[in-house]
Amino acid sequence: MSARRGLVILFIADVLSAVGSRITMVAIPWLVLVTTGSAARMGLVAAVELVPYIVVSIMAGPVIDRLGPRRTAILANLASAVAVAAIAGTATIGFAVLLVLVALAGGLRGAADRSKDLLVRPMAEAAEVPLIRITSLHETFARGATLLGAPLGGLLIYWTDASSVLWIDAVTFLVCGLLIAGFVRPPEVVSASRPDKYFRSLAVGFSYVRRDALLATMLITTFTVNIFASASTAVFIPVWVADELGSPAGLGLTLGAFAGGALLGSIAFTVWATKLPRYLTFALGAFIGGSPRLLVLGLSDNLVLVAAVTFLSGIGIAAINPVFGAVLYEHVPKDLQARVIGLVAASSFAGLPLGALLAGELVSGFGLFPALIGSGIVCLVVSVYPLVRRGPGRILDAPSAVEAV
């Protein structure tokens, strides 16, 4: 099989597991709601799935180094299939057991996702495809999976029931593991160095991120943008729609505008990715994708204006992940990527639940409009920082940044 075909199959497997993950995020909370009738337990089970995902994304790096990303991806996806099948088959066994199984599924998904991330670079290099092209394509497919997965999960639950949908999810993880096992074969890399002990190995990854000015700048920016993106989606926009419009139609239009902009931006960036200055694109994406949609909510009650600005913010935010992903593959030494990519991905992802919690507290404590303006100003300051600090950008766009690793 050609390397290019193997890369395509890796993408198919990744999209399949991503759709399955989005369906799981809908089906498991719904299963809890219909079996227990408790909204509090519904929220708890969602958090219990998310926290192990973040923790394992950080902690799995040394394990992936020892087992190899391909073997880890296969094992983690097959184990995820078993865990999700167990949730489907034991839905009435008790809430405590369900929590354990959900936590296990979340952790396994973290290991599987980080392992697939680490397969991208060797497969892209073997196929002679530019990494920035691959990361932009990945972002486009990820956006599509997000848009497809949640509504598909809702429809499947409507047509069948939550337990049946979870059996379907288990099959998606099983197929993903089998596709990687059968068709994804990256070039073998033999390391000449002896592996460090687990915690020493983990500490080296933390130290690298802390000392690297480029990664630190991009990580802080991405983390902040994720906080306020989640705050907007989960709290700010719904409360603004309820207070200013009083109609759920405005909620659908505003959230749809952002999703549509993000998908369009991802497609556009895929086309032009190799022609754009990457650091400037990242910085402008963070600037456009963050504070404008917060400030327009705080300064206007015009739905058309809010939807237009939100759409443009979606276009801007679409450039952040592809550029950051390419930097991680090209800038970080190969023998550190399992630890560094896991740490960076988990840290960025952690901004999502934090944003929802923070927004709720800000609105409760200060009111909607002070919360929006204050959040917009903070996000603006952080997103301007990469634009005024151009030193890391010169590191990123220098030819030696790619050739040295």
Side-chain angles (χ1 to χ4, degrees):
M1 172 176 290
S2 69
R4 191 175 291 263
R5 187 177 301 175
L7 181 61
V8 170
I9 291 178
L10 175 61
F11 260 72
I12 292 172
D14 194 35
V15 171
L16 184 63
S17 67
V19 172
S21 297
R22 299 306 186 277
I23 293 174
T24 301
M25 290 179 181
V26 175
I28 292 179
W30 185 262
L31 177 68
V32 171
L33 183 64
V34 298
T35 56
T36 69
S38 171
R41 287 188 170 188
M42 183 183 180
L44 177 60
V45 79
V48 165
E49 182 184 13
L50 182 61
V51 172
Y53 179 91
I54 295 173
V55 172
V56 171
S57 291
I58 296 173
M59 305 298 288
V63 177
I64 297 173
D65 280 337
R66 289 178 180 272
L67 293 178
R70 178 176 177 271
R71 185 183 302 174
T72 307
I74 295 168
L75 293 174
N77 275 287
L78 295 180
S80 293
V82 174
V84 174
I87 295 170
T90 59
T92 60
I93 199 171
F95 187 65
V97 175
L98 178 64
L99 288 179
V100 172
L101 292 173
V102 168
L104 179 62
L108 289 168
R109 189 162 58 85
D113 286 353
R114 300 293 76 78
S115 300
K116 291 197 294 291
D117 289 343
L118 292 166
L119 289 170
V120 170
R121 176 175 178 168
M123 293 299 296
E125 289 177 343
E128 300 180 345
V129 179
L131 283 166
I132 189 65
R133 181 79 72 196
I134 292 300
T135 56
S136 57
L137 278 170
H138 184 274
E139 180 70 7
T140 301
F141 285 126
R143 296 282 181 189
T146 300
L147 291 175
L148 174 64
L152 179 60
L155 287 173
L156 289 172
I157 291 171
Y158 175 74
W159 289 330
T160 57
D161 55 65
S163 294
S164 299
V165 172
L166 288 172
W167 283 112
I168 297 173
D169 293 345
V171 172
T172 65
F173 292 115
L174 175 63
V175 173
C176 178
L178 294 176
L179 285 174
I180 294 173
F183 303 104
V184 179
R185 300 190 179 278
E188 293 290 336
V189 178
V190 179
S191 176
S193 60
R194 295 179 59 188
D196 290 327
K197 293 183 179 180
Y198 176 83
F199 286 105
R200 167 64 182 164
S201 177
L202 203 62
V204 170
F206 276 87
S207 178
Y208 185 89
V209 175
R210 180 178 56 83
R211 290 184 288 104
D212 190 281
L214 175 62
L215 288 188
T217 299
M218 298 181 81
L219 179 56
I220 291 170
T221 304
T222 304
F223 176 74
T224 304
V225 170
N226 279 347
I227 285 178
F228 291 111
S230 175
S232 296
T233 301
V235 177
F236 288 150
I237 291 175
V239 174
W240 181 87
V241 168
D243 289 354
E244 297 298 317
L245 305 178
S247 169
L251 179 62
L253 177 62
T254 307
L255 294 179
F258 182 75
L263 183 59
L264 178 62
S266 296
I267 295 171
F269 189 75
T270 299
V271 175
W272 294 313
T274 58
K275 299 179 177 64
L276 297 173
R278 286 186 284 176
Y279 186 80
L280 181 61
T281 300
F282 173 88
L284 288 175
F287 178 78
I288 296 170
S291 60
R293 63 176 174 150
L294 296 168
L295 294 174
V296 74
L297 287 170
L299 298 173
S300 175
D301 60 358
N302 187 310
L303 177 60
V304 174
L305 177 61
V306 167
V309 172
T310 302
F311 178 78
L312 293 175
S313 291
I315 293 176
I317 210 169
I320 295 177
N321 286 342
V323 175
F324 203 2
V327 169
L328 290 170
Y329 290 131
E330 295 177 352
H331 181 70
V332 178
K334 289 182 180 180
D335 60 339
L336 291 178
Q337 286 190 358
R339 287 159 280 175
V340 171
I341 289 177
L343 172 61
V344 168
S347 300
S348 299
F349 193 74
L352 299 177
L354 180 60
L357 293 172
L358 178 64
E361 292 299 322
L362 287 174
V363 172
S364 297
F366 300 99
L368 176 62
F369 293 104
L372 285 167
I373 299 301
S375 297
I377 292 172
V378 171
C379 190
L380 178 64
V381 171
V382 174
S383 61
V384 164
Y385 180 69
L387 287 170
V388 300
R389 190 175 186 231
R390 296 301 303 273
R394 287 190 288 272
I395 296 173
L396 172 58
D397 290 322
S400 59
V402 177
E403 296 169 359
V405 295

